[in-house]
Coordinates of all heavy atoms in Angstrom, one line a residue:
W1 N -10.6 31.6 -14.9 CA -9.5 31.3 -15.8 C -8.5 32.5 -15.8 O -8.9 33.6 -15.5 CB -10.0 31.0 -17.2 CG -11.1 30.0 -17.2 CD1 -12.4 30.1 -17.5 CD2 -10.9 28.6 -16.9 NE1 -13.0 29.0 -17.4 CE2 -12.2 28.0 -17.0 CE3 -9.9 27.8 -16.4 CZ2 -12.4 26.7 -16.8 CZ3 -10.1 26.5 -16.2 CH2 -11.3 25.9 -16.4
T2 N -7.3 32.2 -16.2 CA -6.3 33.3 -16.2 C -5.8 33.5 -17.6 O -5.8 32.6 -18.4 CB -5.2 32.9 -15.3 OG1 -4.2 34.0 -15.3 CG2 -4.5 31.6 -15.7
R3 N -5.3 34.7 -17.9 CA -4.7 35.0 -19.1 C -3.2 34.9 -19.1 O -2.6 35.0 -20.1 CB -5.1 36.4 -19.6 CG -6.6 36.6 -19.8 CD -6.9 38.0 -20.2 NE -8.3 38.2 -20.4 CZ -8.9 38.3 -21.5 NH1 -8.2 38.1 -22.6 NH2 -10.2 38.5 -21.6
H4 N -2.7 34.7 -17.9 CA -1.2 34.6 -17.8 C -0.7 33.2 -17.8 O -1.2 32.3 -17.0 CB -0.8 35.3 -16.5 CG -1.3 36.7 -16.4 ND1 -0.7 37.7 -17.1 CD2 -2.3 37.3 -15.7 CE1 -1.3 38.9 -16.8 NE2 -2.3 38.6 -16.0
Q5 N 0.2 32.9 -18.7 CA 0.7 31.5 -18.8 C 1.5 31.1 -17.6 O 1.4 29.9 -17.2 CB 1.6 31.4 -20.0 CG 0.9 31.6 -21.3 CD 1.8 31.5 -22.5 OE1 3.0 31.5 -22.4 NE2 1.2 31.4 -23.7
L6 N 2.2 32.0 -16.9 CA 3.0 31.6 -15.8 C 2.0 31.2 -14.6 O 2.3 30.2 -13.9 CB 3.9 32.8 -15.3 CG 4.8 32.5 -14.2 CD1 5.7 31.4 -14.5 CD2 5.5 33.8 -13.8
A7 N 1.0 32.0 -14.4 CA 0.0 31.6 -13.3 C -0.6 30.3 -13.6 O -0.8 29.5 -12.7 CB -1.0 32.7 -13.2
A8 N -1.0 30.0 -14.9 CA -1.6 28.7 -15.2 C -0.6 27.6 -15.0 O -1.0 26.5 -14.5 CB -2.1 28.7 -16.7
A9 N 0.6 27.8 -15.4 CA 1.7 26.7 -15.2 C 1.9 26.5 -13.7 O 2.0 25.3 -13.3 CB 2.9 27.1 -15.9
L10 N 2.0 27.5 -12.9 CA 2.3 27.3 -11.5 C 1.1 26.7 -10.8 O 1.3 25.8 -9.9 CB 2.6 28.7 -10.9 CG 4.0 29.3 -11.2 CD1 4.1 30.6 -10.6 CD2 5.1 28.3 -10.8
S11 N -0.1 27.0 -11.2 CA -1.2 26.4 -10.5 C -1.4 24.9 -10.9 O -1.7 24.1 -10.1 CB -2.5 27.2 -10.8 OG -2.8 27.1 -12.2
A12 N -1.1 24.6 -12.2 CA -1.1 23.2 -12.6 C 0.0 22.4 -11.9 O -0.3 21.3 -11.5 CB -0.9 23.1 -14.1
M13 N 1.2 23.0 -11.8 CA 2.3 22.3 -11.1 C 1.9 22.1 -9.6 O 2.2 21.0 -9.0 CB 3.6 23.0 -11.2 CG 4.2 22.9 -12.6 SD 5.6 23.9 -12.9 CE 6.6 23.6 -11.4
F14 N 1.3 23.0 -9.0 CA 0.8 22.9 -7.6 C -0.2 21.8 -7.4 O -0.1 21.0 -6.5 CB 0.3 24.3 -7.1 CG -0.3 24.2 -5.7 CD1 0.6 24.1 -4.6 CD2 -1.6 24.2 -5.5 CE1 0.1 24.0 -3.3 CE2 -2.1 24.1 -4.2 CZ -1.3 24.0 -3.1
I15 N -1.2 21.8 -8.3 CA -2.2 20.7 -8.2 C -1.6 19.3 -8.4 O -1.9 18.4 -7.6 CB -3.3 21.0 -9.2 CG1 -4.1 22.2 -8.9 CG2 -4.2 19.8 -9.4 CD1 -5.0 22.7 -9.9
L16 N -0.7 19.2 -9.4 CA -0.1 17.9 -9.6 C 0.8 17.5 -8.5 O 0.9 16.3 -8.1 CB 0.7 17.9 -10.9 CG -0.2 18.0 -12.2 CD1 0.7 18.1 -13.4 CD2 -1.1 16.7 -12.3
F17 N 1.6 18.4 -7.9 CA 2.5 18.1 -6.8 C 1.7 17.7 -5.6 O 2.0 16.8 -4.8 CB 3.3 19.4 -6.5 CG 4.4 19.1 -5.6 CD1 5.5 18.3 -5.9 CD2 4.5 19.8 -4.3 CE1 6.5 18.0 -5.0 CE2 5.5 19.5 -3.5 CZ 6.6 18.7 -3.8
T18 N 0.5 18.4 -5.4 CA -0.3 18.1 -4.2 C -0.9 16.6 -4.4 O -0.9 15.9 -3.4 CB -1.5 19.1 -4.1 OG1 -0.9 20.4 -4.0 CG2 -2.4 18.7 -2.9
L19 N -1.4 16.3 -5.6 CA -1.9 14.9 -5.8 C -0.8 13.9 -5.7 O -1.1 12.8 -5.2 CB -2.5 14.9 -7.2 CG -3.8 15.6 -7.4 CD1 -4.2 15.5 -8.9 CD2 -4.9 15.0 -6.5
F20 N 0.4 14.3 -6.0 CA 1.6 13.3 -5.8 C 1.9 13.1 -4.4 O 2.2 12.0 -4.0 CB 2.8 13.8 -6.6 CG 3.9 12.9 -6.6 CD1 3.9 11.7 -7.3 CD2 5.1 13.2 -5.9 CE1 4.9 10.8 -7.3 CE2 6.1 12.3 -5.9 CZ 6.1 11.1 -6.6
L21 N 1.9 14.2 -3.6 CA 2.3 14.1 -2.2 C 1.2 13.8 -1.2 O 1.4 13.6 0.0 CB 3.0 15.4 -1.8 CG 4.4 15.6 -2.3 CD1 5.0 16.9 -1.8 CD2 5.3 14.5 -2.0
L22 N 0.0 13.7 -1.7 CA -1.2 13.5 -0.8 C -1.1 12.2 -0.1 O -1.4 12.2 1.1 CB -2.5 13.6 -1.7 CG -3.8 13.7 -1.0 CD1 -3.8 15.1 -0.2 CD2 -4.9 13.8 -1.9
P23 N -0.6 11.1 -0.6 CA -0.6 9.9 0.2 C 0.4 9.9 1.3 O 0.4 9.0 2.2 CB -0.1 8.8 -0.9 CG -0.6 9.3 -2.2 CD -0.4 10.8 -2.1
A24 N 1.3 10.9 1.4 CA 2.2 11.0 2.6 C 1.4 11.4 3.8 O 1.8 11.1 4.9 CB 3.2 12.1 2.3
A25 N 0.2 11.9 3.7 CA -0.7 12.2 4.8 C -1.5 11.0 5.2 O -2.3 11.1 6.2 CB -1.6 13.4 4.5
D26 N -1.4 9.9 4.5 CA -2.2 8.7 4.7 C -2.1 8.2 6.2 O -3.1 7.8 6.8 CB -1.9 7.7 3.7 CG -2.8 6.5 3.7 OD1 -4.0 6.7 4.1 OD2 -2.4 5.4 3.2
P27 N -0.9 8.1 6.7 CA -0.7 7.5 8.1 C -1.4 8.4 9.2 O -1.7 7.9 10.2 CB 0.8 7.4 8.3 CG 1.4 7.5 7.0 CD 0.5 8.3 6.1
Y28 N -1.5 9.6 8.9 CA -2.1 10.5 9.9 C -3.6 10.7 9.8 O -4.2 11.4 10.6 CB -1.4 11.9 9.8 CG 0.1 11.8 9.9 CD1 0.9 12.0 8.7 CD2 0.8 11.5 11.0 CE1 2.3 11.9 8.8 CE2 2.1 11.4 11.1 CZ 2.9 11.6 10.0 OH 4.2 11.4 10.0
A29 N -4.2 10.1 8.8 CA -5.6 10.3 8.6 C -6.4 9.1 9.2 O -5.9 8.1 9.5 CB -5.9 10.4 7.1
S30 N -7.7 9.4 9.4 CA -8.6 8.3 9.8 C -8.8 7.3 8.7 O -8.4 7.5 7.6 CB -9.9 8.9 10.3 OG -10.6 9.4 9.2
A31 N -9.4 6.2 9.0 CA -9.5 5.1 8.1 C -10.3 5.5 6.8 O -9.9 5.2 5.7 CB -10.2 3.9 8.7
G32 N -11.4 6.2 7.0 CA -12.2 6.6 5.9 C -11.5 7.7 5.1 O -11.5 7.6 3.8
L33 N -10.9 8.6 5.7 CA -10.1 9.7 5.0 C -8.9 9.1 4.3 O -8.6 9.5 3.2 CB -9.7 10.8 5.9 CG -9.1 12.0 5.3 CD1 -10.0 12.6 4.3 CD2 -8.7 13.0 6.4
A34 N -8.3 8.1 4.9 CA -7.1 7.4 4.3 C -7.5 6.8 3.0 O -6.8 6.8 2.0 CB -6.5 6.5 5.2
A35 N -8.7 6.2 2.9 CA -9.2 5.5 1.7 C -9.4 6.5 0.6 O -9.1 6.3 -0.6 CB -10.4 4.7 2.0
V36 N -10.0 7.7 1.0 CA -10.2 8.8 0.0 C -8.8 9.3 -0.5 O -8.7 9.5 -1.7 CB -11.0 9.9 0.6 CG1 -11.1 11.1 -0.3 CG2 -12.4 9.4 0.9
I37 N -7.9 9.5 0.4 CA -6.6 10.0 0.0 C -5.9 9.0 -1.0 O -5.3 9.4 -2.0 CB -5.7 10.2 1.3 CG1 -6.2 11.4 2.0 CG2 -4.2 10.4 0.9 CD1 -5.5 11.6 3.3
R38 N -6.0 7.7 -0.7 CA -5.4 6.7 -1.6 C -6.1 6.7 -3.0 O -5.4 6.5 -4.0 CB -5.5 5.3 -1.0 CG -4.4 5.1 0.0 CD -4.3 3.6 0.4 NE -5.6 3.1 0.9 CZ -5.9 3.1 2.2 NH1 -5.1 3.7 3.1 NH2 -7.1 2.6 2.6
T39 N -7.4 6.9 -3.0 CA -8.1 7.0 -4.2 C -7.8 8.2 -5.1 O -7.6 8.1 -6.3 CB -9.6 6.9 -4.0 OG1 -9.9 5.7 -3.2 CG2 -10.4 6.8 -5.2
V40 N -7.7 9.3 -4.4 CA -7.4 10.6 -5.1 C -6.0 10.8 -5.5 O -5.7 11.3 -6.6 CB -7.9 11.8 -4.3 CG1 -7.5 13.1 -4.9 CG2 -9.4 11.7 -4.1
G41 N -5.0 10.3 -4.7 CA -3.6 10.5 -4.9 C -3.1 9.7 -6.1 O -3.6 8.6 -6.4
T42 N -2.1 10.2 -6.8 CA -1.6 9.5 -7.9 C -0.6 8.4 -7.6 O -0.4 7.5 -8.4 CB -0.8 10.6 -8.9 OG1 0.2 11.2 -8.1 CG2 -1.8 11.6 -9.4
T43 N 0.0 8.5 -6.4 CA 1.0 7.5 -6.1 C 0.5 6.1 -6.0 O 1.1 5.1 -6.5 CB 1.7 7.8 -4.7 OG1 2.1 9.2 -4.8 CG2 2.8 6.9 -4.4
Y44 N -0.7 5.9 -5.5 CA -1.4 4.6 -5.4 C -1.6 4.0 -6.7 O -1.4 2.8 -7.0 CB -2.7 4.8 -4.6 CG -3.5 3.5 -4.5 CD1 -3.1 2.4 -3.8 CD2 -4.7 3.4 -5.3 CE1 -3.9 1.3 -3.7 CE2 -5.4 2.2 -5.3 CZ -5.0 1.2 -4.5 OH -5.8 0.0 -4.4
H45 N -2.1 4.8 -7.7 CA -2.4 4.3 -9.0 C -1.1 4.1 -9.8 O -1.1 3.3 -10.7 CB -3.3 5.3 -9.7 CG -4.6 5.4 -9.1 ND1 -5.6 4.4 -9.1 CD2 -5.2 6.4 -8.3 CE1 -6.7 4.8 -8.4 NE2 -6.4 6.0 -7.9
L46 N -0.1 4.9 -9.5 CA 1.2 4.7 -10.3 C 2.0 3.5 -9.9 O 2.7 2.9 -10.7 CB 2.1 6.0 -10.0 CG 3.3 6.1 -10.8 CD1 3.0 6.2 -12.3 CD2 4.1 7.3 -10.4
E47 N 1.8 2.9 -8.7 CA 2.5 1.7 -8.3 C 2.1 0.5 -9.2 O 3.0 -0.3 -9.5 CB 2.1 1.4 -6.8 CG 2.7 2.3 -5.8 CD 2.2 2.0 -4.4 OE1 1.3 1.1 -4.2 OE2 2.6 2.7 -3.5
G48 N 0.9 0.4 -9.6 CA 0.5 -0.7 -10.5 C 1.3 -0.6 -11.8 O 1.7 -1.6 -12.4
F49 N 1.4 0.6 -12.4 CA 2.1 0.8 -13.6 C 3.6 0.5 -13.5 O 4.2 0.0 -14.5 CB 1.9 2.2 -14.2 CG 0.5 2.4 -14.8 CD1 -0.4 3.2 -14.1 CD2 0.1 1.8 -15.9 CE1 -1.7 3.4 -14.6 CE2 -1.1 2.0 -16.5 CZ -2.0 2.8 -15.8
T50 N 4.2 0.8 -12.4 CA 5.6 0.6 -12.2 C 6.0 -0.9 -12.1 O 7.1 -1.3 -12.5 CB 6.2 1.4 -11.0 OG1 5.5 1.0 -9.9 CG2 6.1 2.9 -11.2
T51 N 5.1 -1.7 -11.6 CA 5.3 -3.1 -11.4 C 4.9 -3.9 -12.6 O 5.2 -5.0 -12.8 CB 4.6 -3.6 -10.2 OG1 3.2 -3.4 -10.3 CG2 5.1 -3.0 -8.9
G52 N 4.1 -3.3 -13.5 CA 3.6 -4.0 -14.7 C 2.3 -4.7 -14.4 O 1.7 -5.3 -15.3
L53 N 1.8 -4.6 -13.2 CA 0.5 -5.2 -12.9 C -0.5 -4.1 -12.5 O -0.5 -3.6 -11.4 CB 0.6 -6.2 -11.7 CG 1.6 -7.3 -11.9 CD1 1.8 -8.0 -10.6 CD2 1.1 -8.3 -12.9
F54 N -1.3 -3.7 -13.5 CA -2.2 -2.6 -13.2 C -3.6 -3.1 -13.4 O -3.9 -3.9 -14.2 CB -1.9 -1.4 -14.0 CG -1.9 -1.6 -15.5 CD1 -3.0 -1.5 -16.3 CD2 -0.7 -2.0 -16.1 CE1 -2.9 -1.8 -17.6 CE2 -0.6 -2.2 -17.5 CZ -1.7 -2.1 -18.2
G55 N -4.5 -2.5 -12.6 CA -5.9 -2.9 -12.7 C -6.7 -1.9 -13.5 O -6.2 -0.8 -13.9
I56 N -8.0 -2.2 -13.6 CA -8.9 -1.3 -14.4 C -9.1 0.0 -13.7 O -9.3 1.0 -14.3 CB -10.2 -2.1 -14.7 CG1 -11.0 -1.3 -15.8 CG2 -11.0 -2.2 -13.5 CD1 -10.4 -1.5 -17.1
S57 N -9.0 0.0 -12.4 CA -9.2 1.3 -11.6 C -8.1 2.2 -11.9 O -8.3 3.5 -12.0 CB -9.3 1.0 -10.1 OG -8.1 0.5 -9.7
D58 N -6.9 1.7 -12.1 CA -5.7 2.6 -12.4 C -5.9 3.2 -13.8 O -5.7 4.4 -14.0 CB -4.4 1.8 -12.4 CG -4.2 1.2 -11.1 OD1 -4.6 1.8 -10.0 OD2 -3.5 0.1 -11.0
V59 N -6.3 2.4 -14.8 CA -6.6 2.9 -16.1 C -7.7 3.9 -16.2 O -7.6 5.0 -16.8 CB -6.8 1.8 -17.1 CG1 -7.2 2.3 -18.5 CG2 -5.6 0.8 -17.2
V60 N -8.8 3.6 -15.4 CA -9.9 4.6 -15.4 C -9.5 5.9 -14.7 O -9.9 7.0 -15.1 CB -11.1 3.9 -14.6 CG1 -12.2 4.9 -14.3 CG2 -11.7 2.8 -15.5
Y61 N -8.7 5.8 -13.7 CA -8.2 7.0 -13.0 C -7.5 7.9 -13.9 O -7.8 9.1 -14.0 CB -7.3 6.6 -11.8 CG -6.7 7.8 -11.1 CD1 -7.4 8.5 -10.2 CD2 -5.4 8.2 -11.4 CE1 -6.8 9.6 -9.5 CE2 -4.8 9.2 -10.7 CZ -5.5 9.9 -9.8 OH -5.0 11.0 -9.1
Y62 N -6.5 7.4 -14.7 CA -5.7 8.2 -15.6 C -6.5 8.7 -16.8 O -6.4 9.8 -17.3 CB -4.4 7.5 -16.0 CG -3.4 7.6 -14.9 CD1 -3.1 6.4 -14.2 CD2 -2.8 8.8 -14.5 CE1 -2.2 6.5 -13.1 CE2 -1.9 8.8 -13.4 CZ -1.6 7.6 -12.8 OH -0.7 7.7 -11.8
C63 N -7.4 7.8 -17.3 CA -8.2 8.2 -18.4 C -9.2 9.3 -18.1 O -9.5 10.2 -18.8 CB -8.9 7.0 -19.0 SG -7.9 5.9 -20.0
S64 N -9.8 9.2 -16.8 CA -10.7 10.3 -16.4 C -9.9 11.6 -16.2 O -10.5 12.7 -16.5 CB -11.4 9.9 -15.1 OG -10.5 9.7 -14.1
G65 N -8.7 11.6 -15.8 CA -7.9 12.8 -15.7 C -7.7 13.4 -17.1 O -7.7 14.6 -17.3
I66 N -7.4 12.5 -18.1 CA -7.2 13.0 -19.4 C -8.5 13.6 -20.0 O -8.5 14.7 -20.6 CB -6.7 11.8 -20.3 CG1 -5.3 11.4 -19.9 CG2 -6.8 12.2 -21.8 CD1 -4.8 10.1 -20.5
V67 N -9.6 12.9 -19.8 CA -10.9 13.4 -20.3 C -11.2 14.8 -19.6 O -11.7 15.7 -20.3 CB -12.0 12.4 -20.1 CG1 -13.4 13.0 -20.3 CG2 -11.8 11.2 -21.0
L68 N -11.0 14.9 -18.3 CA -11.3 16.1 -17.6 C -10.4 17.2 -18.1 O -10.9 18.4 -18.4 CB -11.0 15.9 -16.1 CG -11.2 17.2 -15.2 CD1 -12.7 17.5 -15.2 CD2 -10.7 16.9 -13.9
S69 N -9.1 17.0 -18.4 CA -8.2 18.0 -18.9 C -8.6 18.4 -20.3 O -8.6 19.6 -20.6 CB -6.8 17.5 -18.9 OG -6.4 17.2 -17.6
L70 N -9.0 17.5 -21.1 CA -9.4 17.8 -22.5 C -10.7 18.6 -22.5 O -10.9 19.5 -23.3 CB -9.5 16.6 -23.3 CG -8.2 15.9 -23.7 CD1 -8.5 14.6 -24.4 CD2 -7.4 16.8 -24.5
T71 N -11.6 18.3 -21.6 CA -12.9 19.0 -21.5 C -12.7 20.5 -21.0 O -13.2 21.4 -21.6 CB -13.8 18.3 -20.5 OG1 -14.0 16.9 -21.0 CG2 -15.2 19.0 -20.4
V72 N -11.8 20.6 -20.1 CA -11.5 22.0 -19.6 C -10.8 22.8 -20.7 O -11.2 24.0 -20.9 CB -10.7 22.0 -18.3 CG1 -10.1 23.3 -18.0 CG2 -11.5 21.4 -17.1
A73 N -9.9 22.2 -21.4 CA -9.2 22.9 -22.5 C -10.2 23.2 -23.6 O -10.1 24.3 -24.2 CB -8.1 22.0 -23.1
R74 N -11.2 22.4 -23.9 CA -12.2 22.6 -24.9 C -13.0 23.8 -24.6 O -13.3 24.7 -25.4 CB -13.0 21.4 -25.2 CG -14.1 21.7 -26.2 CD -14.9 20.4 -26.5 NE -16.1 20.8 -27.3 CZ -17.3 20.6 -27.0 NH1 -17.6 20.0 -25.9 NH2 -18.3 20.9 -27.8
Y75 N -13.5 23.8 -23.3 CA -14.4 25.0 -22.9 C -13.6 26.3 -22.8 O -14.1 27.3 -23.1 CB -15.0 24.6 -21.6 CG -16.2 23.7 -21.7 CD1 -16.2 22.5 -21.0 CD2 -17.2 23.9 -22.6 CE1 -17.3 21.6 -21.2 CE2 -18.3 23.1 -22.7 CZ -18.3 21.9 -22.0 OH -19.3 21.0 -22.2
A76 N -12.3 26.2 -22.4 CA -11.5 27.4 -22.4 C -11.3 27.9 -23.8 O -11.3 29.2 -24.1 CB -10.1 27.1 -21.8
A77 N -11.1 27.0 -24.8 CA -10.9 27.5 -26.2 C -12.2 28.1 -26.7 O -12.2 29.1 -27.4 CB -10.5 26.3 -27.0
E78 N -13.3 27.4 -26.4 CA -14.6 28.0 -26.9 C -14.9 29.3 -26.2 O -15.4 30.2 -26.9 CB -15.8 27.0 -26.5 CG -15.8 25.8 -27.4 CD -17.0 24.9 -27.1 OE1 -17.9 25.3 -26.2 OE2 -17.1 23.9 -27.7
Y79 N -14.6 29.5 -25.0 CA -14.8 30.8 -24.3 C -13.9 31.9 -25.0 O -14.5 33.0 -25.2 CB -14.4 30.7 -22.8 CG -14.5 32.0 -22.1 CD1 -15.8 32.4 -21.7 CD2 -13.4 32.8 -21.8 CE1 -15.9 33.6 -21.0 CE2 -13.6 33.9 -21.1 CZ -14.8 34.4 -20.7 OH -15.0 35.5 -20.0
R80 N -12.7 31.6 -25.3 CA -11.9 32.6 -26.0 C -12.3 32.9 -27.4 O -12.2 34.0 -27.9 CB -10.4 32.1 -26.0 CG -9.8 32.2 -24.7 CD -8.3 31.9 -24.7 NE -7.7 32.1 -23.4 CZ -6.6 32.6 -23.2 NH1 -5.8 32.9 -24.2 NH2 -6.1 32.7 -22.0
L81 N -12.9 31.9 -28.0 CA -13.4 32.1 -29.4 C -14.6 33.0 -29.4 O -14.7 33.9 -30.3 CB -13.8 30.7 -30.0 CG -14.3 30.8 -31.4 CD1 -13.2 31.2 -32.4 CD2 -14.9 29.4 -31.8
W82 N -15.5 32.9 -28.5 CA -16.7 33.6 -28.5 C -16.7 34.9 -27.6 O -17.7 35.7 -27.7 CB -17.9 32.8 -28.0 CG -18.1 31.6 -29.0 CD1 -17.8 30.3 -28.8 CD2 -18.7 31.7 -30.3 NE1 -18.1 29.6 -29.9 CE2 -18.7 30.5 -30.9 CE3 -19.2 32.8 -31.1 CZ2 -19.1 30.2 -32.1 CZ3 -19.6 32.5 -32.3 CH2 -19.6 31.2 -32.9
H83 N -15.7 35.1 -26.9 CA -15.6 36.4 -26.0 C -14.5 37.2 -26.4 O -13.5 37.2 -26.6 CB -15.6 36.0 -24.6 CG -16.9 35.5 -24.1 ND1 -17.2 34.2 -24.1 CD2 -17.9 36.2 -23.5 CE1 -18.4 34.0 -23.6 NE2 -18.9 35.2 -23.2

């Protein structure tokens, strides 16, 4: 973990930007890797929300991201509290 807000913000922006642009590598990947890229990337899941027709996998994808972020924030806050 970092104590610098700028480093945390830049790393978060880099991770989100990578997840957003990951499907651009889809045509150059093998079939198995392309399926993984579509599952991990945010663009595939965002398409359902933009058209108004979204599936349960899209909702689970974004909810799991929220839960993961809240869990990391909780453990970071507990670490700062006790150290």
Side-chain angles (χ1 to χ4, degrees):
W1 308 113
T2 181
R3 293 179 186 259
H4 303 286
Q5 291 179 350
L6 183 62
L10 289 176
S11 63
M13 287 174 48
F14 175 75
I15 291 170
L16 291 174
F17 191 65
T18 303
L19 287 175
F20 183 72
L21 288 182
L22 198 59
D26 192 24
Y28 306 109
S30 64
L33 185 59
V36 171
I37 288 173
R38 279 192 302 272
T39 303
V40 173
T42 58
T43 308
Y44 173 74
H45 297 285
L46 189 60
E47 288 174 358
F49 285 109
T50 58
T51 60
L53 302 171
F54 53 90
I56 193 74
S57 64
D58 302 330
V59 174
V60 168
Y61 176 80
Y62 284 109
C63 285
S64 63
I66 291 169
V67 168
L68 178 69
S69 299
L70 289 175
T71 303
V72 169
R74 177 178 173 237
Y75 285 123
E78 283 183 8
Y79 178 79
R80 286 187 177 215
L81 180 68
W82 295 106
H83 287 87

